[in-house]
C-alpha cells in the first residue's frame, strides 16, 4: 500500500510539534520478534489447553502458579529481543525535545532499551518482580527464568510475582493519571501497534483534545474513524522513515 501522502502529513505534524505523545501496544514489538495477542500469528491464535486470557489472570496465577509460569516463561519473556526502528525513533524524538512521553501497554522494556526516558508502563514490566511474602524486590528477568517451576524468594521462600498487571487486576492509579495528563496536554497523539480493545488502557485516547490523532496499525481498529490520520502499515517501517529535525 502506498502511504506516501500520509507519511508526508505525519512528518509535517512531527516537524511542527514539541509536544508529541506516543501510546502503543504489543504491535510495537512484533518487529522485534515478540508475538502480539490478536494478530493472525499472535498468541490468541495459537493452540493451548486454555485461552491465554485465562492463564494470565489473577485467579489462575493464585490457583495454578506452575501452569501460569510455564506459559509466562515461554511466551511472555523474550530476553533476547532488541528494540526495532519504532522504539529507536521514539527515543530519538524524545531526545530531540519533540516527544514528551511513551505510554505503553507492553511489558517488555524495549522502549527503555532504545533509550526512552519517560515511559509509562500501564501494564507493568516483566523486568520487575516482588516476593508476595516478604516484599523483597528483584529487578530483571533472571529470578524468574533461572527458576524451575514457580520462582521462590531466595530470602524467605515466598512465591515471586511479576510486576505485571494480570487480567482481573487494576492498573496503577498514579501511572494512569500521569498518562491521562500527558494525553490531555498533547498536541500530536500517535497511537500504534494496538488493537485498542483492552480497557481501561484503550479508553485513554478519549482524553485527547487535539486535532492530530494518528493511528499506525496493521489492522483496522475501532478508533479509525475518530483519527485524523490513519496509516496502515508496520510501525517500525513507518516511524523508521520519519526524519528528526
Ligand atoms: P493486541 O495483540 O491486541 O493488538 C496488536 C495490534 O497491533 C493488532 O491490531 C495488530 O494488527 C497490530 N500490529 C501487529 N504488529 C504490528 C506492526 N508491526 N505494526 C503495526 N501494527 C501492528 O495488543 P494490545 O492492543 O497491546 O493488547 C494486548 C495486551 O497484551 C496488552 O496489554 C499488551 O501489553 C500485552 N502484550 C504485551 C506484549 C509485549 O510486551 N511485547 C506482547 C503481547 C501482549
Amino acid at each position: 500500500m502506498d502511504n506516501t501522502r500520509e507519511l508526508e502529513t505525519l512528518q509535517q505534524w512531527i516537524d511542527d510539534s514539541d509536544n508529541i505523545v506516543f501510546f502503543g501496544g504489543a504491535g510495537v514489538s512484533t518487529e522485534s520478534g515478540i508475538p502480539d495477542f490478536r494478530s493472525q500469528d499472535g498468541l490468541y491464535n495459537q493452540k493451548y489447553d486454555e485461552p491465554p486470557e485465562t492463564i494470565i489472570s489473577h485467579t489462575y496465577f493464585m490457583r495454578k502458579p506452575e501452569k501460569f509460569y510455564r506459559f509466562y516463561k515461554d511466551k511472555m519473556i523474550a530476553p533476547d529481543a532488541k528494540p526495532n526502528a519504532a522504539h529507536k525513533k521514539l527515543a530519538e524524538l524524545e531526545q530531540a525535545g519533540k516527544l514528551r512521553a511513551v505510554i505503553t501497554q507492553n511489558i517488555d522494556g524495549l522502549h527503555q532499551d532504545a533509550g526512552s526516558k519517560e515511559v509509562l508502563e500501564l501494564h507493568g514490566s516483566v523486568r520487575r518482580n516482588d516476593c508476595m511474602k516478604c516484599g523483597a524486590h528483584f529487578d530483571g528477568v533472571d529470578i524468574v527464568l533461572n527458576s524451575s517451576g514457580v520462582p521462590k524468594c531466595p530470602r524467605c521462600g515466598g512465591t515471586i510475582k511479576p510486576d505485571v498487571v494480570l487480567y482481573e487486576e487494576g492498573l496503577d492509579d498514579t501511572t494512569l493519571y500521569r498518562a491521562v495528563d500527558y494525553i490531555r496536554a498533547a498536541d500530536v497523539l500517535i497511537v500504534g501497534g494496538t488493537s485498542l480493545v483492552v480497557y481501561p488502557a484503550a479508553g485513554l485516547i478519549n482524553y485527547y483534545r487535539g486535532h492530530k490523532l494518528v493511528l499506525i496499525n496493521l489492522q483496522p481498529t475501532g478508533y479509525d474513524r475518530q483519527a485524523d490520520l490513519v496509516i496502515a502499515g508496520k510501525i517500525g517501517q513507518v516511524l523508521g522513515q520519519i526524519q528528526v529535525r
Side-chain angles (χ1 to χ4, degrees):
M1 184 189 270
D2 182 13
N3 284 326
T4 313
R5 287 191 55 188
E6 286 82 2
L7 267 166
E8 279 170 10
T9 305
L10 177 60
Q11 181 70 61
Q12 190 64 55
W13 289 358
I14 287 175
D15 286 348
D16 293 346
S17 181
D18 64 357
N19 186 1
I20 303 163
V21 170
F22 179 80
F23 172 48
V28 174
S29 293
T30 54
E31 287 161 87
S32 296
I34 304 180
D36 64 7
F37 279 176
R38 292 177 185 79
S39 286
Q40 246 168 9
D41 51 358
L43 293 181
Y44 282 8
N45 293 314
Q46 300 178 16
K47 292 281 169 269
Y48 299 104
D49 299 350
E50 288 153 297
E53 58 267 62
T54 303
I55 305 176
I56 49 178
S57 69
H58 182 81
T59 308
Y60 200 92
F61 174 81
M62 298 307 282
R63 290 194 187 149
K64 301 179 186 173
E66 299 81 11
K67 285 180 95 175
F68 169 90
Y69 268 115
R70 204 177 307 148
F71 179 87
Y72 178 82
K73 288 181 198 180
D74 191 29
K75 299 294 176 188
M76 309 290 290
I77 304 184
D80 298 328
K82 299 275 180 295
N84 63 51
H87 300 104
K88 290 178 190 167
K89 191 65 66 168
L90 292 166
E92 216 183 303
L93 285 166
E94 182 187 45
Q95 181 69 32
K98 300 185 73 65
L99 180 135
R100 301 278 173 101
V102 167
I103 301 164
T104 183
Q105 298 166 80
N106 291 350
I107 55 176
D108 55 34
L110 291 184
H111 285 294
Q112 289 91 334
D113 287 352
S116 283
K117 301 285 180 238
E118 186 68 341
V119 183
L120 306 190
E121 295 173 313
L122 295 172
H123 294 161
S125 172
V126 296
R127 296 184 183 181
R128 294 188 297 268
N129 303 279
D130 296 297
C131 170
M132 293 174 75
K133 197 168 160 196
C134 72
H137 181 78
F138 302 93
D139 278 328
V141 293
D142 289 355
I143 186 95
V144 171
L145 287 184
N146 293 343
S147 65
S148 62
V150 179
K152 296 289 180 187
C153 177
R155 295 179 202 168
C156 77
T159 297
I160 300 287
K161 184 172 186 293
D163 182 10
V164 164
V165 180
L166 303 176
Y167 284 93
E168 305 159 357
E169 293 179 344
L171 275 59
D172 175 64
D173 279 347
T174 309
T175 311
L176 201 53
Y177 294 146
R178 285 176 60 215
V180 167
D181 284 346
Y182 273 120
I183 288 177
R184 227 185 231 144
D187 166 29
V188 179
L189 177 62
I190 305 175
V191 178
T194 170
S195 58
L196 293 171
V197 299
V198 179
Y199 283 82
L204 282 174
I205 292 189
N206 296 320
Y207 289 97
Y208 177 61
R209 297 189 289 200
H211 302 287
K212 290 169 184 165
L213 172 60
V214 185
L215 286 191
I216 307 170
N217 214 58
L218 273 180
Q219 293 162 326
T221 75
Y223 283 83
D224 285 9
R225 287 174 57 186
Q226 206 169 307
D228 301 294
L229 182 66
V230 176
I231 304 181
K234 291 193 171 183
I235 193 155
Q237 283 180 12
V238 171
L239 290 182
Q241 294 177 65
I242 291 296
Q243 309 287 321
V244 181
R245 49 198 180 200

